Structure formats: structure tokens, C-alpha cells
Amino acid sequence: DARVTQTPRHKVTEMGQEVTMRCQPILGHNTVFWYRQTMMQGLELLAYFRNRAPLDDSGMPKDRFSAEMPDATLATLKIQPSEPRDSAVYFCASGLVSGNYGYTFGSGTRLTVV
Amino acid sequence: QKEVEQDPGPLSVPEGAIVSLNCTYSNSAFQYFMWYRQYSRKGPELLMYTYSSGNKEDGRFTAQVDKSSKYISLFIRDSQPSDSATYLCAQTGNQFYFGTGTSLTVIP
């Protein structure tokens, strides 16, 4: 059963530290999304890639967040420096651009910044 | 205004009840509509999708889109405790626009 793999599942870090989250999309999927989920805001789109090229990262705070796809099997989301307000669950999702009927989400990285 | 608006609930119903979950959307240009189910501490999983308007049925679940009123609905018949989750509606254009989710609890 193909799935999107995210690591780590949980991360607790101190304010000011760098945080890197990783995502392995489903093999063959050419579109990757990064979302952040909080109780107050729900799912917020941070960035997405198609064929490894960034298409939209307008949802990311540019001064501290960065997203990359060094290859087709790995997407990364980095926060530097981290702040307590970054505490949330970060989800990666992958799919096919032609598959408008849905994408597959990973299980998320639960980030706590203290 | 968010692209997709959803009542966050929470909604609590007895087992066997019919559940109605609703969303409204603002952009008529996007034609794909989806419902995702999210269990606690899990990622959202696709439950149903519809294209354009009308109804789609899958077992106990029915998804409905009313384009005239820009309304998206999900009906759950004979609700079960295992249906207890957060339900997210979504509309797709070049990206996904999600509602904030409705928390549903089905009480045995």
C-alpha cells in the first residue's frame, strides 16, 4: 500500500533552533504539498512543488521557512530560527497533477517549539 | 474571506443517526470537490470526491454539490462510532482549499 512517509513524527525543540522535516512522496507522484495544521487556522498551504520545481510558496514566512526538493524522492521543510508560534502539525501530501480527485497525506510531523 | 468555509462544530450524535456536514465555497471556477476524514493524530485521508455538481454515493456516504448556492454537503447514514473523526471539505483549483474541519463524535 503506497504511502507518504514523513520524518520525524514528533519534534520538540527550543526556540531559535533549526528544524528540518522530511517527506518521501509516493513513487511516481509529481506534485508535493506542504501544509501546516493548527486548531485555530486549520490546514494552511505553505508551499507546493510540481516536478520538483516550486510553484507556490506564498504561504510561507520567507524569512524563516524554506522548502526544497533535492530529488524526486525527498522534500524538505526547514525552519530557522524556530519560534513558539511555529508549533503545529506539518503535513506533506503527494499526488499526480492529472489526479484532481485527491492527494495522499503523510501522518505529519508534530512540532513543539518551547 | 476564506475560499471554503466550514462550521467547526463539534457535532455529537447517537449511533445510527443521519449526519449532515456542510461547507460553502466562494470560487465557482474550481470544479472538483472533496471530503477528507481525519482521525486523531493522523493525516487526512480522501473519503469522497465529486466533479461539478450533483450527488455521489458510496456506501453510507453521500456527497452533494449545489452550485447554485455554492454549497457542499456530506451525509452519513446509519452513523457508527468508527465515523468519529474530523471531516474536512476541500475544493481544488491549482491547489487545495480546505475548510477548517468539523469534529464529529458518534456516541454508542
Side-chain angles (χ1 to χ4, degrees):
Chain A
D1 198 17
R3 58 178 179 172
V4 176
T5 303
Q6 288 187 249
T7 56
R9 290 295 309 275
H10 303 273
K11 177 72 176 178
V12 179
T13 192
E14 292 185 346
M15 183 174 61
Q17 296 298 304
E18 178 178 298
V19 175
T20 298
M21 290 169 269
R22 293 177 174 80
C23 167
Q24 182 177 358
I26 292 173
L27 192 64
H29 282 186
N30 65 349
T31 305
V32 174
F33 296 88
W34 281 105
Y35 283 91
R36 174 172 61 187
Q37 186 176 41
T38 61
M39 289 289 290
M40 294 299 295
Q41 299 296 326
L43 276 166
E44 300 175 279
L45 178 67
L46 297 175
Y48 79 99
F49 295 79
R50 185 155 295 152
N51 297 320
R52 295 177 54 202
L55 288 191
D56 186 352
D57 61 0
S58 59
M60 286 200 315
K62 298 290 193 306
D63 56 338
R64 298 184 302 107
F65 283 61
S66 62
E68 295 179 344
M69 277 202 77
D71 62 60
T73 64
L74 177 65
T76 62
L77 180 66
K78 190 174 295 186
I79 308 174
Q80 168 63 26
S82 57
E83 297 181 1
R85 59 179 168 154
D86 300 329
S87 298
V89 182
Y90 291 81
F91 286 105
C92 173
S94 75
L96 289 169
V97 65
S98 60
N100 275 323
Y101 44 83
Y103 291 83
T104 303
F105 281 76
S107 296
T109 293
R110 184 172 296 271
L111 174 66
T112 303
V113 183
V114 298
Chain B
Q1 181 190 10
K2 293 191 72 168
E3 297 281 351
V4 178
E5 301 277 359
Q6 184 173 9
D7 184 350
L11 189 60
S12 184
V13 301
E15 183 175 353
I18 296 174
V19 176
S20 173
L21 303 168
N22 303 293
C23 296
T24 58
Y25 63 93
S26 57
N27 194 330
S28 299
F30 303 144
Q31 303 273 1
Y32 287 92
F33 302 91
M34 272 137 252
W35 283 95
Y36 278 80
R37 177 175 60 195
Q38 186 176 20
Y39 290 114
S40 181
R41 297 185 175 270
K42 298 286 188 183
E45 57 177 338
L46 180 65
L47 191 60
M48 295 186 70
Y49 71 93
T50 57
Y51 174 73
S52 191
S53 62
N55 292 0
K56 184 172 183 177
E57 192 172 315
D58 183 2
R60 297 183 295 108
F61 298 88
T62 300
Q64 187 177 80
V65 177
D66 183 341
K67 295 185 77 174
S68 62
S69 59
K70 296 184 180 178
Y71 223 68
I72 315 166
S73 300
L74 178 71
F75 300 98
I76 307 174
R77 291 184 301 280
D78 186 25
S79 55
Q80 303 294 309
S82 57
D83 296 328
S84 298
T86 296
Y87 290 80
L88 300 132
C89 57
Q91 182 189 25
T92 64
N94 56 348
Q95 58 163 286
F96 277 75
Y97 299 98
F98 281 95
T100 50
T102 299
S103 175
L104 170 68
T105 301
V106 180
I107 303 167

